[in-house]
Amino acid sequence: MEQPKDATEATRGFNDAFATSLPHDTRQDFEDAGRGFIGSIPDARVEAGGGRVVWDMAPYAFEADGLPAPATVNPSLWRQAQLNTRHGLFEVTPGIYQVRGFDISNVTFIEGKTGYIVVDPLTSAEPAAAALKLMRQHRGDKPVTAVIYTHSHVDHYGGVRGVLSDDDIERGLRIIAPEGFLEAAVSENILAGNAMARRATYMFGALLPRGPRGHVDSGLGKATSQGAVSLVPPTESITATGTRHTIDGVDIVYQLTPDTEAPAEMNFYFPQFKALCMAENCTCHLHNLYTPRGAQVRDARGWSRYIGEAIGLFATDADVEFASHHWPRWGSSRIVAFLTKQRDLYKFIHDQTLRLANHGLTPIEIGETLRLPPSLAAEWHTRSYYGTLNHNSKAVYQRYLGWFDGNPARLFPHPPVEAGKRYVELAGGADALLAKGREAFAKGDYRWVAELVNHLVFADPDNIAARNLQADALEQLGYQSESGPWRAIFLTGAQELRMPPRSARRRGLPGAQLRALPADELLDAFSVRLNGNKAGARDFAFGIQFEGAAERWRVSIENAVLHHEVDAGGSTAPLVQLSRHTLIELAIGETALDDAIADGRVRVDGGRQVFADFLGLLDRFEFFFAIVEPGEEVA
Ligand SMILES: [Zn+2]
């Protein structure tokens, strides 16, 4: 199997030219990222039980300050990677502290009269606990007095059990979140969850080796921690901008920002500290309007408006601005300048995309055309380390105009395998196509290689020369990418192409996401597993009663569609009694129905066959489905 290669001459030339195009570096970001450093633990290394390492900066030692960008890393991404490699406890302002570099996100501690208010306790419990320990070591062994979740993404709540004990939760310690938090946290990623999770392995490069030819940074932070993820629901919701709290002597003023970076999100201000928390609405780069793992696109216009509102509400009074990723900014004029340009960054992309769309340009053309104006391009915090100008403009197009670009030639094309066969024939056969691909590779036209050779890989995934050439091209594109996710996507594609065909397939962790769902949403999630072809003309119904729940559900199949509703009573349909957990195990094939009936986990009232039929109609999703090559036939 081929291994990662060095940068070609073309890539060296590209990255050298890129370096000369970058803004002047005053090193202000490095100063800000290091300001207020108090202390850390060696390599920020955190272990879970049994010595399993869930976080470790040691593999990124190759990015140490002062080292020049290797030829295999875009020099701008290299700079961001170096900034994101700092770790430890930092003073934001006296009374407000952040632990950065213990996860992809930051956790913030606010000192109250008696203890600490925790803002955004990271992705998993072990790094969150290590961060709290570091805080206590330097600032005193005080209790946690409240938790605030800025928004509904897992890197901001998943580690909460690392800062809260069972006792804290039982006695109802205040946990504050924006309105709609729980619904968004639980359901944003469920119905398309398998596809998103698989694609996330590309976007975050979790399976890439760390190193100059592998993973260097995610742009938004280093990477995601790998400890225990949990969700403790909030005890109260913020439902209006202007809401004020005093918690443990600390005044907080909230600004709700729904449908911005997350469906449920909020900024807030600490008047006593003159400190503004911008959640994840303003980070030190261009964020995603579309996240390439796949998700609904975000509203650039609303996002920009809420940043504008924050400027009016808070910015002129603030001495420091911080967020749940990256480093803070100090000084009112710098804060206003930063927020103003962040506001205009998203509005510029929104407005100019629609201007060009109204001229008839298609998404690919708009992405190729769009350039930031000089004032925005002069900043480091507008750069494409996470979202890119290219794919964010496509997100705006999609939000208003959808996937079809209007050209009938793209309304009804052949699918990839069929198109691939025809392109190979057109090229004069596999060898002729490969020769053309190699010519383009030698010229450094890797985008064309990727498009051309992809046809051959889909026509014949066993063509190892094609797979390797395609991998080589994707790899150079990765080495040239300024965006952490783009780099990871290209390099992960290269890695999977270099494996023997289909060897990437291994079983994932089916059902892990399902376990967190309430009954209603669990049954919803099953409806996208119903195999419509198998269901055909089947038409039946049964009742489900989950253990410990009062209500019964009526589940029915008709027109190859799965329905569920609360059973109002009086139904004569067969009844199945079981736990939600058992239903998940049966549905994903971890338990056989006969066994579950035999050991009493399932009780069926005259409906064994109906329930067995239902389970037989549910598809099981393969986590490692094919991306860079044809998949198995799915009926
Ligand atoms: Zn985040």
Side-chain angles (χ1 to χ4, degrees):
M1 194 173 106
E2 295 204 341
Q3 297 300 310
K5 295 180 180 165
D6 203 355
T8 59
E9 278 311 308
T11 291
R12 285 168 196 274
F14 178 92
N15 282 340
D16 286 348
F18 203 96
T20 64
S21 75
L22 292 170
H24 171 63
D25 194 354
T26 62
R27 304 293 285 179
Q28 180 72 53
D29 283 328
F30 287 87
E31 201 179 294
D32 290 343
R35 178 167 164 173
F37 177 71
I38 294 171
S40 193
I41 54 177
D43 297 322
R45 184 180 161 99
V46 179
E47 292 179 3
R52 190 172 67 87
V53 177
V54 299
W55 184 257
D56 188 8
M57 280 291 196
Y60 296 99
F62 69 95
E63 297 169 357
D65 272 2
L67 295 176
T72 52
V73 183
N74 177 291
S76 183
L77 177 60
W78 181 253
R79 177 184 180 277
Q80 185 82 344
Q82 290 185 319
L83 285 161
N84 284 337
T85 305
R86 278 144 219 274
H87 58 81
L89 177 67
F90 296 81
E91 182 189 272
V92 174
T93 193
I96 299 184
Y97 303 83
Q98 285 191 315
V99 172
R100 303 200 283 267
F102 275 42
D103 204 318
I104 196 167
S105 46
N106 302 332
V107 54
T108 306
F109 299 100
I110 321 294
E111 285 182 344
K113 277 188 188 143
T114 64
Y116 302 131
I117 301 167
V118 179
V119 179
D120 285 359
L122 305 180
T123 311
S124 61
E126 297 85 350
L132 179 59
K133 189 177 164 197
L134 185 66
M135 176 69 185
R136 283 175 167 157
Q137 187 188 324
H138 289 279
R139 299 296 310 169
D141 189 6
K142 296 180 194 166
V144 171
T145 52
V147 171
I148 301 175
Y149 302 137
T150 61
H151 66 287
S152 52
H153 291 150
V154 66
D155 52 324
H156 303 269
Y157 66 78
V160 66
R161 293 309 307 261
V163 301
L164 289 189
S165 64
D166 292 344
D167 183 53
D168 290 330
I169 295 165
E170 269 166 38
R171 67 190 170 85
L173 187 127
R174 293 178 81 171
I175 304 176
I176 298 155
E179 181 177 35
F181 169 90
L182 193 60
E183 296 76 2
V186 168
S187 56
E188 194 189 359
N189 303 331
I190 290 296
L191 293 182
N194 192 63
M196 284 183 188
R198 164 63 167 140
R199 289 175 51 170
T201 64
Y202 271 61
M203 175 169 164
F204 293 104
L207 304 174
L208 293 172
R210 275 69 182 118
R213 296 181 186 184
H215 189 263
V216 299
D217 202 74
S218 299
L220 184 64
K222 193 51 64 189
T224 304
S225 70
Q226 301 294 322
V229 177
S230 59
L231 172 53
V232 179
T235 60
E236 56 198 290
S237 292
I238 302 302
T239 58
T241 292
T243 301
R244 284 166 179 270
H245 278 161
T246 302
I247 301 173
D248 197 21
V250 175
D251 296 333
I252 311 171
V253 186
Y254 300 93
Q255 180 205 6
L256 269 188
T257 67
D259 293 318
T260 48
E261 189 266 335
E265 187 147 359
M266 61 183 183
N267 304 324
F268 37 90
Y269 188 60
F270 299 98
Q272 293 140 318
F273 300 101
K274 289 188 170 292
L276 172 61
C277 174
M278 286 301 289
E280 198 166 329
N281 283 315
C282 291
T283 43
C284 300
H285 58 27
L286 171 58
H287 211 291
N288 276 323
L289 295 175
Y290 168 77
T291 176
R293 68 176 154 81
Q296 293 187 29
V297 296
R298 297 165 185 166
D299 177 11
R301 188 155 156 264
W303 193 335
S304 176
R305 282 182 176 177
Y306 281 118
I307 297 173
E309 186 182 59
I311 295 171
L313 288 172
F314 309 125
T316 49
D317 190 52
D319 286 342
V320 63
E321 176 275 339
F322 64 94
S324 290
H325 292 273
H326 301 139
W327 47 93
R329 260 157 232 268
W330 288 267
S332 176
S333 63
R334 281 186 65 215
I335 294 167
V336 171
F338 168 69
L339 295 178
T340 301
K341 288 194 173 174
Q342 284 276 308
R343 176 196 69 189
D344 293 346
L345 175 63
Y346 296 104
K347 185 157 167 59
F348 176 84
I349 296 170
H350 174 273
D351 294 353
Q352 295 305 309
T353 297
L354 293 180
R355 179 180 71 83
L356 295 170
N358 280 319
H359 279 301
L361 272 70
T362 60
I364 290 175
E365 291 165 331
I366 295 169
E368 203 73 16
T369 307
L370 212 54
R371 294 284 177 275
L372 288 180
S375 58
L376 293 181
E379 301 292 342
W380 290 98
H381 67 80
T382 59
R383 298 201 68 87
S384 295
Y385 297 123
Y386 197 52
T388 69
L389 202 53
N390 185 293
H391 77 246
N392 277 345
S393 66
K394 291 168 183 161
V396 174
Y397 190 99
Q398 183 194 318
R399 188 170 181 94
Y400 286 87
L401 294 160
W403 64 269
F404 177 44
D405 69 6
N407 181 341
R410 284 183 284 273
L411 183 59
F412 190 47
H414 282 294
V417 171
E418 290 306 314
K421 289 177 185 164
R422 287 160 174 81
Y423 274 103
V424 172
E425 192 197 353
L426 175 72
D431 291 342
L433 188 147
L434 271 175
K436 281 289 180 193
R438 290 199 178 97
E439 254 174 54
F441 188 90
K443 288 181 195 153
D445 191 356
Y446 307 123
R447 292 169 75 181
W448 177 238
V449 179
E451 180 170 339
L452 184 64
V453 179
N454 184 58
H455 288 305
L456 178 50
V457 173
F458 274 78
D460 179 12
D462 295 322
N463 187 323
I464 302 302
R467 297 174 71 96
N468 285 336
L469 178 58
Q470 181 75 342
D472 289 349
L474 297 183
E475 182 169 71
Q476 297 302 318
L477 288 170
Y479 292 166
Q480 295 179 11
S481 294
E482 185 179 34
S483 160
W486 278 40
R487 177 183 172 94
I489 288 166
F490 284 128
L491 295 189
T492 303
Q495 180 171 272
E496 292 192 354
L497 282 159
R498 284 170 177 153
M499 293 174 183
R502 293 180 197 87
S503 70
R505 315 294 160 71
R506 35 191 161 112
R507 293 206 73 82
L509 291 169
Q513 293 171 306
L514 297 177
R515 296 188 209 288
L517 294 181
D520 190 18
E521 289 180 330
L522 178 63
L523 293 170
D524 240 354
F526 283 139
S527 58
V528 301
R529 289 175 182 254
L530 181 78
N531 186 312
N533 295 328
K534 282 190 198 162
R538 302 294 307 275
D539 189 339
F540 60 87
F542 62 97
I544 286 189
Q545 175 122 41
F546 290 115
E547 275 168 18
E551 80 273 16
R552 280 182 188 183
W553 295 90
R554 182 178 188 277
V555 176
S556 60
I557 290 176
E558 59 177 329
N559 301 314
V561 172
L562 179 64
H563 299 277
H564 70 276
E565 59 194 350
V566 174
D567 191 340
S571 169
T572 55
L575 181 68
V576 180
Q577 291 169 282
L578 76 182
S579 69
R580 286 186 300 129
H581 182 81
T582 301
L583 180 60
I584 294 165
E585 293 208 323
L586 289 166
I588 64 180
E590 279 181 12
T591 291
L593 181 57
D594 286 341
D595 296 343
I597 290 175
D599 63 23
R601 279 179 292 159
V602 175
R603 277 176 295 155
V604 282
D605 235 356
R608 193 201 166 286
Q609 193 52 48
V610 169
F611 189 52
D613 286 354
F614 163 73
L615 293 174
L617 295 177
L618 298 181
D619 272 3
R620 293 174 198 164
F621 297 139
E622 191 63 52
F623 182 77
F624 282 96
F625 59 75
I627 292 178
V628 287
E629 60 189 301
E632 313 285 345
E633 292 256 336
V634 175

